[in-house]
């Protein structure tokens, strides 16, 4: 019986190393070239690519904050308008 171990010896189907290419433009990163990092482990080939990603992320965060704050305001306004229209009855209830 023969067994095959497909662990580290299988070079044909390796997952790409995270420092192989720029996150934004996918340009291959050279071994002797500078790598510009952002938010932990996100590599970029240049300051320009990194800056573009920073601006994209900031725009997404601003958009998210605007949409979440407007949805909170909408919920608060709905809750306050429904609170004023409710009728509350007080009294004694007799159970037989």
């Amino acid at each position: 019986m023969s067994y095959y171990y497909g662990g580290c010896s299988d070079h044909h189907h390796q997952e790409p190393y995270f420092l192989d290419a720029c996150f934004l433009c996918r340009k291959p990163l050279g071994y002797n070239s500078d790598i510009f990092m952002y938010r932990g482990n996100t590599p970029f080939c240049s300051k320009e690519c990194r800056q573009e990603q920073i601006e994209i992320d900031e725009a997404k965060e601003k958009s998210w904050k605007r949409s979440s704050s407007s949805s909170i305001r909408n919920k608060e306004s709905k809750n306050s308008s429904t609170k004023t229209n409710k009728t509350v009855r007080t009294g004694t209830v007799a159970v037989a």
Side-chain angles (χ1 to χ4, degrees), residues 14-77:
Q14 285 183 344
E15 290 192 24
Y17 184 64
F18 82 99
L19 291 177
D20 282 345
C22 177
F23 181 79
L24 188 66
C25 71
R26 305 290 183 227
K27 176 183 170 184
L29 299 174
Y31 292 105
N32 274 340
S33 63
D34 289 336
I35 298 174
F36 301 87
M37 302 299 288
Y38 171 61
R39 289 199 171 175
N41 60 357
T42 309
F44 295 92
C45 64
S46 66
K47 289 179 182 179
E48 292 78 18
C49 278
R50 181 180 63 185
Q51 186 60 39
E52 187 173 338
Q53 185 65 46
I54 290 170
E55 291 169 4
I56 291 169
D57 290 349
E58 287 174 351
K60 285 180 184 177
E61 288 174 9
K62 284 180 184 178
S63 173
W64 180 81
K65 286 179 183 178
R66 275 191 232 123
S67 67
S68 66
S69 66
S70 67
S71 67
I72 289 171
R73 281 192 296 258
N74 289 339
K75 286 179 185 177
E76 288 174 351
S77 67

Side-chain angles (χ1 to χ4, degrees), residues 6 9 11-12 15 18 28 49 54 56 69 77 82 88-89 92 95:
S9 64
H11 296 291
H12 300 291
E15 290 192 24
F18 82 99
C49 278
I54 290 170
I56 291 169
S69 66
S77 67
T82 57
V88 177
R89 294 183 181 180
T92 306
V95 179

